[in-house]
Amino acid sequence: MLRDILVFAVFLIGLPLSFRRPFIGLLMFTWLAYMRPQDLCWGPAREFRFSFYTALVLYAGYGIFEFRRGLGRKDLRNYMFLGLFAFVGLSIPYAEFQFERQYERYLEFGKILLMASLTTTLVDSKKRLTILMWTIAVSLGFYGVKGGIFGAQGGRIIEGPGGLILDNNDFGLAMVMNLPLLFFLTKGQKSQNLRVGLLIACILTVITIVVTKSRGAFLATAAVFMVTVWKSDRKAAGIGLGFVFAVVFIIFMPEDYKARLQTIREGKDESAAARIVAWKAAIRMAQAHPLTGVGFYNFRSAYWRYNPDPLLVPGKIVTHNSYLQVWSETGTPALLCFIGLLFYSMFRCGRIRALVRGRGDLKWADHYANAFQLSLLGFMVGATFLNRAHFDLYYQIVALTVALDFLVRKELQAPPVSGDGDTVLNRGHFAVQTGLPFLRPLQQLWQSGGAAARAWTARVGRSSWPRVGPGSSPPDKRPSWPRPSASGPASPREPAAPSSWPKRRGLRFERRRPDSSVDEVPSAGWPERSEPRANR
């Protein structure tokens, strides 16, 4: 009961904050979606819809206080979100079988996409991006550490905490996608204890993936490790770390799990045969309904009509493939949007890494782009064997790539400021980066000189000459004022020129006081004008 009280207390405190500060609502919704504290309770909190009410308050607060931002940034991925939502909705009226839960699940899917779209606008600074990354990593890392400790003692994970990660395969995929976030958050951390703690969490997360006994998660983990070592600047250290993880993997791998992994190479398994039959049935559905599919969440209902092997009765009727799930249920246009989100986000992450290469002040962007790219790679491989087309973590990672893209473009337009002690000298498109401390005064002189030059240009400009108007002489008949004498001001009332004023030989600078109708010449030794200028 104490857990229920604690969860309700956090919820009630965070609800008004979520209304006034929608970003806090986003953090709270993320925490509820991935850590799922309600599933750790045994009282009324277990059945309470925390995420639903948090989303409602978040949407209301965003509509009142943050709606000027729009519903998403002008990015191709946001348009793909909108297209995917539209094409999935179009498949429902043309579904072969109609049932009420289709619309309920469609609204749940729309909530996921809307939350991802709002993430692209609410995450508008590096600080917010870092906080949201930590929220995701810690929420899923909690179960990674907990499951790792449980697996090290000989336990096995049959199912996840709940929600979209209830199934053990889905839970293993979430752990794989969280692994790069945990690893790259160690980069740039000043605290040695924090870095060691995150690395320990990575090792325990690998043990958690092992004890889920998910073959799709195993292949996704192997792909993430291989690409991480290949992209690493320190390949020897990466190979050594990969060897450590491989040893941990083998030590804690149960014998029955080894037998399951053998079926990947041999192909002699009823589950593998059922997957192949399900894939063939999905392809037949897509060929029969290329534009709208058989209907959203309609694969199970239409399975027996398109089953190529009626004698094979699978234990669980699912597509076992996210891409075929989208194609067979919602049609080809929806599949193009789904795949486009994945590959374009990975491409933009690679592009971000290329743009910030050599920029010491943007190393954090390189680490984050690496983390998101590898997380999407884990989903790409794992989704080949799992039907997780509507996985909320996937869409939120895509939204974070949009936010990172925006932040990097904004930083590249600003003058570079070193974040790790390096000095960056910038002039137009030319930049020199060094780590020599004695060049810092030169950088400050460069920046101060540029500011002074801009101020001088704005102050002098075309206003150097006397204005033409009533009471003033035309430019070709300017009054012949005497040059300043060496003896000082012509009158005791005449103030001396400020030292910051520019001095140009042969030009006259005039200044008009707001409370005076007399033009005065602010230069030492220059006489005042005797006639007042006409009021304008």
Side-chain angles (χ1 to χ4, degrees):
M1 192 63 182
L2 185 60
R3 295 182 183 181
D4 296 75
I5 296 175
L6 180 61
V7 173
F8 270 110
V10 174
F11 174 73
L12 293 176
I13 292 174
L15 213 57
L17 297 177
S18 303
F19 180 74
R20 186 61 186 89
R21 294 285 185 267
F23 179 72
I24 297 179
L26 177 63
L27 296 178
M28 188 169 164
F29 182 86
T30 303
W31 173 63
L32 291 170
Y34 301 137
M35 189 171 177
R36 299 193 61 83
Q38 62 270 30
D39 291 329
L40 300 175
C41 303
W42 300 100
R46 191 175 185 85
E47 303 297 332
F48 193 78
R49 302 183 66 182
F50 291 102
S51 298
F52 176 75
Y53 294 112
T54 302
L56 287 182
V57 172
L58 168 61
Y59 296 152
Y62 189 89
I64 295 175
F65 300 107
E66 302 286 350
F67 193 72
R68 66 184 186 276
R69 298 173 179 261
L71 292 178
R73 298 197 182 277
K74 293 181 179 180
D75 188 272
L76 180 60
R77 282 154 286 189
N78 274 325
Y79 295 124
M80 289 182 184
F81 283 151
L82 182 60
L84 183 59
F85 181 70
F87 290 129
V88 170
L90 188 63
S91 69
I92 296 178
Y94 296 97
E96 291 191 358
F97 301 93
Q98 300 282 344
F99 56 95
E100 294 182 357
R101 291 203 63 189
Q102 276 182 316
Y103 296 95
E104 180 183 347
R105 291 176 174 178
Y106 182 60
L107 291 178
E108 289 290 329
F109 182 58
K111 182 185 71 174
I112 292 172
L113 293 181
L114 181 58
M115 196 64 66
S117 184
L118 294 184
T119 301
T120 64
T121 59
L122 290 174
V123 180
D124 56 357
S125 64
K126 175 192 172 184
K127 181 179 179 180
R128 287 191 170 188
L129 179 61
T130 304
I131 292 174
L132 185 55
M133 278 190 63
W134 273 100
T135 304
I136 297 173
V138 172
S139 298
L140 291 173
F142 169 78
Y143 289 106
V145 172
K146 180 182 176 182
I149 296 174
F150 178 70
Q153 298 174 353
R156 177 189 173 184
I157 296 178
I158 301 176
E159 61 180 20
L164 293 179
I165 54 177
L166 178 62
D167 185 76
N168 68 312
N169 295 294
D170 303 334
F171 179 65
L173 179 61
M175 294 295 103
V176 174
M177 295 181 66
N178 190 50
L179 198 57
L181 303 185
L182 289 172
F183 179 74
F184 282 98
L185 280 175
T186 62
K187 307 292 184 180
Q189 297 295 335
K190 297 181 180 179
S191 173
Q192 181 71 19
N193 295 331
L194 185 59
R195 290 198 298 270
V196 172
L198 288 172
L199 289 176
I200 293 175
C202 289
I203 297 175
L204 292 175
T205 300
V206 172
I207 299 176
T208 302
I209 296 171
V210 172
V211 296
T212 59
K213 297 185 179 181
S214 172
R215 290 170 291 187
F218 166 77
L219 296 175
T221 305
V224 169
F225 272 126
M226 287 189 294
V227 176
T228 302
V229 173
W230 175 62
K231 295 172 63 175
S232 175
D233 295 333
R234 302 176 180 177
K235 290 184 172 52
I239 293 174
L241 185 62
F243 178 76
V244 171
F245 281 120
V247 170
V248 171
F249 210 98
I250 294 173
I251 291 176
F252 294 98
M253 184 186 302
E255 291 298 327
D256 56 344
Y257 189 38
K258 292 180 182 179
R260 283 175 59 86
L261 294 180
Q262 281 291 115
T263 61
I264 298 177
R265 183 172 58 88
E266 298 174 357
K268 299 178 181 179
D269 183 49
E270 293 183 2
S271 177
R275 288 173 187 268
I276 296 175
V277 173
W279 293 350
K280 291 180 179 180
I283 293 173
R284 288 187 176 187
M285 295 178 192
Q287 291 174 346
H289 303 274
L291 294 179
T292 59
V294 295
F296 188 54
Y297 272 99
N298 232 343
F299 178 84
R300 180 177 298 179
S301 302
Y303 175 78
W304 295 109
R305 181 180 298 181
Y306 298 93
N307 182 17
D309 189 0
L311 297 179
L312 180 62
V313 180
K316 190 175 183 180
I317 302 176
V318 291
T319 55
H320 297 287
N321 186 293
S322 299
Y323 313 107
L324 293 178
Q325 178 188 6
V326 176
W327 194 23
S328 62
E329 291 184 347
T330 56
T332 305
L335 176 65
L336 294 178
C337 292
F338 181 77
I339 295 179
L341 282 170
L342 177 61
F343 285 97
Y344 185 69
S345 299
M346 295 179 68
F347 166 76
R348 288 306 305 173
C349 287
R351 182 60 180 163
I352 289 170
R353 296 194 64 211
L355 289 174
V356 302
R357 186 175 294 117
R359 288 286 299 265
D361 56 324
L362 293 178
K363 285 183 178 179
W364 61 271
D366 180 76
H367 298 326
Y368 289 0
N370 244 330
F372 297 151
Q373 194 175 43
L374 291 171
S375 182
L376 292 175
L377 174 67
F379 176 81
M380 181 181 69
V381 177
T384 308
F385 306 96
L386 303 172
N387 52 319
R388 281 291 86 194
H390 316 118
F391 198 25
D392 50 355
L393 180 58
Y394 162 64
Y395 294 103
Q396 190 160 25
I397 295 295
V398 171
L400 291 180
T401 63
V402 178
L404 178 62
D405 205 347
F406 165 75
L407 294 176
V408 169
R409 283 188 276 110
K410 185 173 69 172
E411 290 290 337
L412 290 176
Q413 293 173 359
V417 179
S418 177
D420 58 352
D422 293 345
T423 301
V424 180
L425 305 180
N426 187 20
R427 180 182 180 183
H429 297 286
F430 174 74
V432 178
Q433 180 177 352
T434 69
L436 304 178
F438 64 84
L439 286 182
R440 292 174 185 168
L442 181 60
Q443 178 194 11
Q444 297 173 359
L445 180 62
W446 184 283
Q447 294 175 351
S448 61
R454 289 191 296 271
W456 183 86
T457 304
R459 185 173 297 171
V460 178
R462 296 185 178 182
S463 63
S464 303
W465 300 96
R467 296 180 179 178
V468 179
S472 63
S473 302
D476 55 342
K477 296 182 179 180
R478 285 186 293 272
S480 177
W481 291 340
R483 294 184 179 276
S485 61
S487 59
S491 171
R493 295 176 300 171
E494 182 69 17
S499 59
S500 61
W501 278 54
K503 296 178 175 59
R504 294 276 301 277
R505 183 179 297 276
L507 297 180
R508 306 292 187 266
F509 301 93
E510 64 181 21
R511 181 181 179 185
R512 182 182 178 88
R513 291 181 179 177
D515 57 345
S516 175
S517 61
V518 179
D519 287 337
E520 56 181 339
V521 182
S523 179
W526 289 10
E528 293 182 351
R529 295 181 60 174
S530 57
E531 71 279 7
R533 298 182 65 172
N535 294 329
R536 299 180 181 178

